[in-house]
Amino acid sequence: GSVDSVAVELAIVPAPSITAIAVSSSPTMGRPLRLVATVDGVGPFTYEWLFNGSPIVGNTSAATNTLILPVIMSDDAGDYSCRVTNVAGFATSNPATLTVNKAVATVTLGALDFVYDGAAHATTATTNPANLNVVITYDGNLDAPVNAGSYAVVATIEDANNTGTAAGVLTIAKAPASV
């Protein structure tokens, strides 16, 4: 007898592979950030972004190759990875560790010129953004000076999300001689 045969073409689809996780910019507090997964393989693909090993929920971009964090904060620091799936299987990227840099705030010193009157003379500091905690030192000390002289002033922001400093010289002039 004869046997009829049919030629069959078999296409083997490999599981995807992730070639890179790219970060769009230096991660700074209060700024947006994008993480992009570059994938090799045969699509269609599905994407799932993970934060510290758990799926990211509530962010629609976590189901795309580009994860968008519109305003990063200190609690966004951690490990990000992407799981990509096609008909043949899945691949999960190595984690990309995100360190969030503090936002730079400005510090402006207040009055720095005084006349000796026997009282301590402290300067003030304002910040932008407003109302950040500032520590002011005078020649390295927290106590405001009393005596006539010049004192190096450093005002430093102490805040989890912001950084900034300002420096100046506070001068206490000798009191005018009384007649």
Side-chain angles (χ1 to χ4, degrees), residues 21 79-81 93-97:
I21 298 289
D79 291 333
Y80 288 83
S81 54
S93 70
N94 290 327
T97 300

Side-chain angles (χ1 to χ4, degrees), residues 121-157:
H121 291 284
T123 190
T124 58
T126 57
T127 62
N128 185 9
N131 302 319
L132 298 175
N133 186 47
V134 177
V135 173
I136 301 173
T137 61
Y138 308 87
D139 283 346
N141 300 304
L142 292 173
D143 296 327
V146 174
N147 296 321
S150 296
Y151 303 87
V153 176
V154 178
T156 305
I157 292 174

Side-chain angles (χ1 to χ4, degrees), residues 107 109 112 153-155 165-169:
V107 181
L109 293 172
L112 293 171
V153 176
V154 178
T165 189
V169 176

